Amino acid sequence: MSQAFAQTKSSIVYAPPSDDFVSIELQEFKGLPRLGVMDNYGDRNINPRGGVRVGRNSAQLEKSKMVTDGRNAFSLLVSLKYVKPFMNDLDKQSLTTVKGNMSKTEANSAFLQRFLLSQVAPNLCLNEDCRNAGRGNNEFERLRNYKTFIDKFLEPLLKWSQQVFMNGEWLIYHVSTLNIGSNYDFDRGGYWVYHSLVLNDIFPMRQGVMKQVVFEPSSSYEQALVNKLENPKSVPFFLQMEAQTAEGLKKEGNNRLYLVKKIKLRPLNKELEDSIGPIKFGYSHETPDVEIYTDQRLTEHYKTLYMNDLILKN
């Protein structure tokens, strides 16, 4: 992704260009960013009524907040990269007034100003002059704060954003849940489960420009899977499990398993048609195997499945 990444024991840190901006921290799994269902750093407690209660102390809550903030900040950085071509429409001398008969240039300027002032400055800035970009007690103060942001901080932020997807792709681990709360199939020995192929949880939905992540098969085993599916957006398959294991999970109140796959993410549209259009990404599976874990921390491995061997529901 970028040379600016530094890996720690439990996270991957995306260093900012200066102390004016936040350091972006993403969860890590096997040396790559972990996205999708995150580890919330909670302690699992048994709920006698079923389900798993999660207790978190202040340190765990702070760690969870740091990861959430990191995902939001990274998503904003991705948005900045793809709206950069529209920055020529940005009015840098005055705040654009929203009105009914706006030109395309004015509409782009209004959108970009709202994006920069309400999302970028509060979430990517540490410097107070940078964070105050959208604030002020009156229109004169707000304009001064805006122009300070434009003059001192916008260009470094735009340059930083260009380090995202420098090689045209991003390798990550995606985690999703498999619900085993339904009744056990004693005849087959396991559960029917569903796995979505539409990954709407890689980027936070409301951070920056809208982003769409769709499955774009590139390997023979992926194409073979797609050819078997009636609905190309989800995979209904049978997860074999011994009755003793299934009963043990039910007694623990654990109705969820965690499916992990290594995927390659790549932008499909190199440039946006307009500033408010969605950024489209395609992904493919880096390997034909998917891993199943019984815990959110991904420390308790249950089994490995292979796409070619999945028993699909008719």
Side-chain angles (χ1 to χ4, degrees):
M1 167 122 176
S2 168
Q3 297 300 318
F5 264 124
Q7 186 177 338
T8 67
K9 184 177 181 180
S10 60
S11 63
I12 291 177
V13 179
Y14 195 38
S18 74
D19 293 338
D20 292 331
F21 310 114
V22 299
S23 177
I24 298 176
E25 184 166 341
L26 303 177
Q27 282 188 344
E28 175 270 350
F29 182 67
K30 294 184 179 180
L32 294 175
R34 166 184 171 164
L35 294 172
V37 177
M38 309 304 292
D39 178 4
N40 62 11
Y41 303 106
D43 297 319
R44 288 174 57 186
N45 298 312
I46 303 305
N47 185 344
R49 294 184 179 181
V52 177
R53 288 189 309 215
V54 176
R56 293 186 287 179
N57 57 36
S58 58
Q60 291 168 324
L61 287 170
E62 182 63 27
K63 203 170 182 181
S64 180
K65 180 181 182 302
M66 183 169 54
V67 169
T68 299
D69 290 346
R71 293 182 71 191
N72 291 343
F74 181 80
S75 183
L76 288 173
L77 209 58
V78 172
S79 295
L80 263 182
K81 176 184 177 74
Y82 288 95
V83 298
K84 185 176 184 293
F86 301 99
M87 287 295 169
N88 291 332
D89 292 340
L90 179 68
D91 189 335
K92 298 180 180 180
Q93 299 303 316
S94 62
L95 293 168
T96 304
T97 301
V98 177
K99 53 189 178 182
N101 57 341
M102 300 177 73
S103 67
K104 186 173 182 179
T105 297
E106 290 174 325
N108 281 340
S109 179
F111 170 81
L112 291 170
Q113 286 181 353
R114 184 169 62 251
F115 170 55
L116 293 171
L117 301 182
S118 66
Q119 298 191 56
V120 172
N123 292 289
L124 290 181
C125 294
L126 289 178
N127 183 293
E128 277 305 305
D129 287 341
C130 187
R131 290 181 62 84
N132 286 337
R135 302 172 184 170
N137 294 321
N138 53 59
E139 64 269 33
F140 305 102
E141 187 175 345
R142 287 192 291 272
L143 180 57
R144 281 196 299 271
N145 289 340
Y146 169 67
K147 293 175 73 173
T148 297
F149 172 83
I150 294 297
D151 293 340
K152 295 177 59 176
F153 304 107
L154 179 57
E155 193 57 33
L157 282 168
L158 289 173
K159 287 183 178 179
W160 188 23
S161 73
Q162 298 312 297
Q163 297 179 31
V164 176
F165 292 100
M166 286 181 66
N167 300 321
E169 59 187 35
W170 192 28
L171 204 59
I172 67 171
Y173 279 100
H174 181 266
V175 183
S176 58
T177 56
L178 293 178
N179 185 4
I180 55 170
S182 58
N183 290 332
Y184 183 81
D185 189 326
F186 286 96
D187 293 332
R188 287 180 172 267
Y191 293 98
W192 285 108
V193 294
Y194 294 84
H195 171 57
S196 176
L197 290 176
V198 180
L199 305 187
N200 287 326
D201 53 2
I202 289 182
F203 299 103
M205 294 296 288
R206 295 184 179 180
Q207 289 298 323
V209 182
M210 185 172 65
K211 303 172 186 68
Q212 298 175 349
V213 181
V214 298
F215 181 40
E216 291 282 313
S218 62
S219 303
S220 58
Y221 59 83
E222 293 174 312
Q223 196 58 57
L225 177 65
V226 170
N227 293 340
K228 295 178 184 178
L229 296 175
E230 292 184 4
N231 180 357
K233 293 185 178 181
S234 66
V235 182
F237 67 94
F238 192 75
L239 177 65
Q240 294 181 320
M241 181 181 295
E242 294 182 357
Q244 184 178 358
T245 301
E247 186 176 8
L249 291 172
K250 287 292 178 69
K251 286 181 177 180
E252 291 179 1
N254 189 359
N255 293 326
R256 288 182 176 180
L257 299 177
Y258 298 89
L259 183 149
V260 181
K261 56 186 183 181
K262 188 177 184 181
I263 66 171
K264 182 181 292 183
L265 196 68
R266 58 190 178 277
L268 296 181
N269 47 351
K270 302 298 182 182
E271 295 184 359
L272 299 181
E273 294 182 3
D274 56 67
S275 60
I276 62 175
I279 308 170
K280 298 180 181 179
F281 297 88
Y283 80 89
S284 57
H285 301 87
E286 189 69 1
T287 63
D289 56 292
V290 292
E291 305 290 341
I292 307 293
Y293 290 81
T294 59
D295 67 318
Q296 196 176 69
R297 295 179 180 176
L298 308 183
T299 59
E300 301 170 11
H301 185 266
Y302 172 58
K303 67 168 52 179
T304 301
L305 302 177
Y306 298 94
M307 291 185 193
N308 292 334
D309 301 330
L310 292 180
I311 301 174
L312 302 182
K313 193 170 187 176
N314 294 326

